[in-house]
Amino acid sequence: MASVTLESIGKIYPGGVRAVEGVDLHIADGEFVVLVGPSGCGKSTTLRMVAGLEDISEGTLRIGDRVVNEVAARDRDVAMVFQNYALYPHLDVRRNLSFGLERRRRKLGLSRADIAGRVEKTATSLGIDSLLDRFPRQLSGGQRQRVAVGRALVRDPAVFLLDEPLSNLDARLRVETRAELRVLHRRLEATMLYVTHDQEEAMSLGDRLVVMHEGHVQQVGSPMDVYRCPVNRFVASFVGSPAMNMLEGGIVDGDRGPVFKVSSGGEITLPPIEHRGPAVLGLRPESIGFEPEATGRGPLVEIDAVERYGDRGDAWLRLVDGGGQERLVHRGSAVDLPAEGLRVRLGALEEGIHVFESGSNGRRLGPEPL
Ligand code: ADP
């Protein structure tokens, strides 16, 4: 396996579309890194430049110590798994797995027996050894997915590149295959670069996330670091589901430290933070609490709707003052959710409080993570 290093990588497509700019990233040998962001943010373009399927317009790409900007895809020792697995329909699973190796048998110095051995071993490790004689049309979606992964695996590449490989699977299978991928990664100690638009998938798979937006890297960090300390409003809103609640207002000095005054009314006590003046308060849904209407000082909300999912649930809240249109969401244990129609005041647990500069993608101003 090998490390992958991107230095100031950029991509301008013919015709002048700027897809990616200034990406700096070092993926350690054996690391599982996930590129995540909304559609069109440049994830696939970045991955395809690493794969050698797109020319690199700017910057330097290294696999291990070797600069590979000008190295052809087939000589980069990378294996790619795509969303549409692109199995050969007229070849059985065995031949689908062996095809790439057969074609390069001489160059790789492999005998037919070597290839057959590798195919068997890979199939066994993925639990598809009983399917070797079937054709793709005789497989379920999950099985096809495994064959596609197997085809990458059998090559024993330096780096695995995966572009939304689970998006054709139904929800349950996606979650199962996700766990299998983690297990596989641990066992192979493989270097993996994985692209998805699904933040939950990214959180569950990655050793580290690279959150992208409009062609730029916003934040790189472990899933929990990104969740606990998003660097700006974009990352804060993108990572986490339901999304972080945002309230406009400003910070003033209160009797016992800083207080956030919500524009539409009510206030929330903040942990220590230096900033004073206009700001945006971000509250994670699970950190919202409630106080009685008569005694609390928080913004007044009405419980519009409550959804229970068995163990947990969401309460949809409406700010009563200031037009009564703004919606917030609270997530809690299903048995503790407030009743629909109730009016209460909003409170917040310290660990879920974030303060951002005003503006649509303001930087995080604090507080220091706990
Ligand atoms: P993502 O994978 O995050 O959805 P992409 O990397 O596919 O995003 O695309 C990033 C940007 O580059 C988008 O604006 C997209 O329209 C543009 N783009 C992608 N491929 C091409 C292409 N072949 N030619 C021109 N523009 C492209």
Side-chain angles (χ1 to χ4, degrees), residues 318-338:
R318 197 166 37 80
L319 286 179
V320 173
D321 300 317
Q325 292 304 315
E326 242 178 304
R327 273 282 179 75
L328 305 174
V329 58
H330 156 73
R331 168 157 289 184
S333 158
V335 290
D336 294 334
L337 293 173

Side-chain angles (χ1 to χ4, degrees), residues 114-345:
D114 291 337
I115 293 177
R118 273 215 215 173
V119 166
E120 291 284 343
K121 194 167 141 228
T122 303
T124 306
S125 78
L126 289 170
I128 52 172
D129 40 330
S130 62
L131 308 175
L132 286 170
D133 297 321
R134 290 206 204 165
F135 287 87
R137 65 174 181 279
Q138 299 169 315
L139 302 176
S140 71
Q143 290 167 334
R144 272 182 226 157
Q145 188 55 45
R146 263 181 244 179
V147 177
V149 171
R151 215 165 40 167
L153 210 60
V154 78
R155 291 176 45 194
D156 195 18
V159 181
F160 283 95
L161 305 173
L162 302 105
D163 193 350
E164 305 257 7
L166 306 185
S167 52
N168 286 342
L169 305 181
D170 66 43
R172 173 170 291 212
L173 198 56
R174 203 156 59 221
V175 172
E176 281 173 20
T177 316
R178 201 161 82 187
E180 278 176 24
L181 268 178
R182 271 304 304 175
V183 173
L184 193 67
H185 172 254
R186 233 188 31 229
R187 206 173 64 223
L188 298 174
E189 297 176 345
T191 310
M192 292 188 166
L193 183 57
Y194 186 107
V195 159
T196 179
H197 66 279
D198 180 338
Q199 60 87 26
E200 188 185 301
E201 193 169 299
M203 294 279 289
S204 67
L205 276 172
D207 296 325
R208 279 193 303 157
L209 308 186
V210 177
V211 185
M212 294 186 69
H213 179 45
E214 296 179 343
H216 292 261
V217 172
Q218 305 290 306
Q219 186 165 6
V220 181
S222 75
M224 287 311 285
D225 284 350
V226 173
Y227 188 82
R228 289 204 190 109
C229 200
V231 295
N232 58 34
R233 208 171 145 176
F234 171 80
V235 176
S237 299
F238 185 76
V239 172
S241 175
M244 188 186 283
N245 299 291
M246 298 288 177
L247 289 167
E248 302 279 342
I251 303 179
V252 298
D253 284 306
D255 302 339
R256 279 167 287 139
V259 167
F260 189 89
K261 292 222 175 252
V262 180
S263 299
S264 54
E267 59 185 51
I268 288 177
T269 305
L270 297 179
I273 183 167
E274 274 174 29
H275 179 81
R276 297 291 178 272
V280 172
L281 180 68
L283 299 175
R284 288 282 181 207
E286 67 276 17
S287 70
I288 281 185
F290 301 106
E291 301 167 336
E293 179 176 355
T295 54
R297 301 175 74 177
L300 189 62
V301 296
E302 186 163 313
I303 314 298
D304 261 357
V306 172
E307 299 170 350
R308 290 190 171 81
Y309 318 120
D311 58 338
R312 65 205 152 78
D314 295 332
W316 295 88
L317 325 170
R318 197 166 37 80
L319 286 179
V320 173
D321 300 317
Q325 292 304 315
E326 242 178 304
R327 273 282 179 75
L328 305 174
V329 58
H330 156 73
R331 168 157 289 184
S333 158
V335 290
D336 294 334
L337 293 173
E340 287 178 350
L342 204 67
R343 279 193 175 197
V344 285
R345 289 190 185 276

Side-chain angles (χ1 to χ4, degrees), residues 13-29:
Y13 279 107
V17 176
R18 148 88 57 203
V20 173
E21 186 167 21
V23 174
D24 287 308
L25 179 65
H26 177 75
I27 304 163
D29 187 358

Side-chain angles (χ1 to χ4, degrees), residues 11-20 36-48 54 163-164 195-197 212 214-215:
K11 175 71 182 181
I12 302 166
Y13 279 107
V17 176
R18 148 88 57 203
V20 173
V36 62
S39 177
C41 71
K43 316 177 287 292
S44 293
T45 300
T46 304
L47 193 79
R48 292 169 61 83
E54 287 293 346
D163 193 350
E164 305 257 7
V195 159
T196 179
H197 66 279
M212 294 186 69
E214 296 179 343

